[in-house]
Amino acid sequence: MQAYLQETTIIDWKHPDILGLAADLKCRSGAKFGTARNSFEFVRDEIRHSGDFELNPVTCRASDVLSAGTGFCFAKSHLLAALLRANEIPAGFSYQRLLLDGAGKRFCLHGLNSVYLDRYGWVRVDARGNKPGITAEFIPPQERLAYTPSAVGERDLPQLYADPLPQVVEVLTRFDSYQSLTENLPDV
């Protein structure tokens, strides 16, 4: 479980801004479920999805996502993991492979989190951000994710990762605009 609580270069939960926000989001009763829900709702509702809002800069490190107030799904998952880990809630990364075009030829990864809650075990949550046609909620033990893979070639990747996938970090640090990242989204 230690791997899902660690601080890394990307999940920099010991950054003062992350620690301050994590303290503010902590459930007053001390309940980890409430803290996880508060953290999820903050990232989902207060951090704008870069692609939806056509916003720069492209962010990767959790503290940069918080500072900029924007990030793609992957970056938002980095911030959520940092906030959870700062409150001693194990958090990891899960991914889906989704179709990007109607022709069925272009796929990309979608990033979300897995959170460990004592009562339920590991539960996937998706703080991507809601918009018309996409509604993600925090309702463990049920999963209400932004997307349900259903087209040929789409799937939930079964692995749970303690660190973001290397190809995700690579594109988030390589491209500097939401347009260029949108054209180069990673796949498996």
Side-chain angles (χ1 to χ4, degrees):
M1 214 43 97
Q2 269 316 110
Y4 299 97
L5 292 167
Q6 70 184 350
E7 183 190 35
T8 68
T9 302
I10 304 299
I11 313 306
D12 58 341
W13 68 260
K14 292 182 183 177
H15 187 282
D17 294 341
I18 300 278
L19 288 172
L21 179 58
D24 290 344
L25 294 171
K26 189 170 188 169
C27 186
R28 290 184 184 177
S29 71
K32 293 195 183 236
F33 183 95
T35 300
R37 183 191 60 238
N38 294 345
S39 300
F40 168 85
E41 290 176 353
F42 175 86
V43 174
R44 182 194 64 192
D45 299 341
E46 302 301 325
I47 303 298
R48 293 179 290 177
H49 188 281
S50 300
D52 291 351
F53 290 91
E54 300 181 349
L55 294 172
N56 294 315
V58 174
T59 55
C60 182
R61 188 174 41 210
S63 60
D64 293 339
V65 177
L66 180 58
S67 175
T70 188
F72 278 86
C73 60
F74 312 111
K76 290 181 73 160
S77 74
H78 300 169
L79 175 58
L80 181 54
L83 292 168
L84 294 169
R85 291 178 184 189
N87 276 308
E88 300 177 0
I89 299 170
F93 303 95
S94 295
Y95 297 91
Q96 295 175 318
R97 184 175 194 245
L98 301 173
L99 186 61
L100 271 175
D101 64 23
K105 295 181 180 179
R106 189 165 173 234
F107 291 86
C108 73
L109 289 175
H110 170 61
L112 50 139
N113 294 92
S114 289
V115 179
Y116 186 84
L117 299 168
D118 289 336
R119 186 170 185 183
Y120 305 113
W122 287 103
V123 178
R124 292 183 309 164
V125 296
D126 190 346
R128 177 221 180 276
N130 291 339
K131 67 178 188 175
I134 295 177
T135 304
E137 300 292 337
F138 185 91
I139 52 172
Q142 296 176 14
E143 293 181 345
R144 177 106 17 104
L145 307 177
Y147 303 104
T148 302
S150 59
V152 173
E154 290 186 330
R155 67 183 184 275
D156 288 312
L157 302 184
Q159 296 86 351
L160 168 61
Y161 301 92
D163 297 307
L165 288 176
Q167 64 263 44
V168 166
V169 173
E170 193 271 327
V171 298
L172 291 176
T173 56
R174 180 172 160 213
F175 296 102
D176 59 0
S177 73
Y178 79 89
Q179 300 99 326
S180 59
L181 183 58
T182 301
E183 295 167 4
N184 293 281
L185 290 168
D187 193 3
V188 289

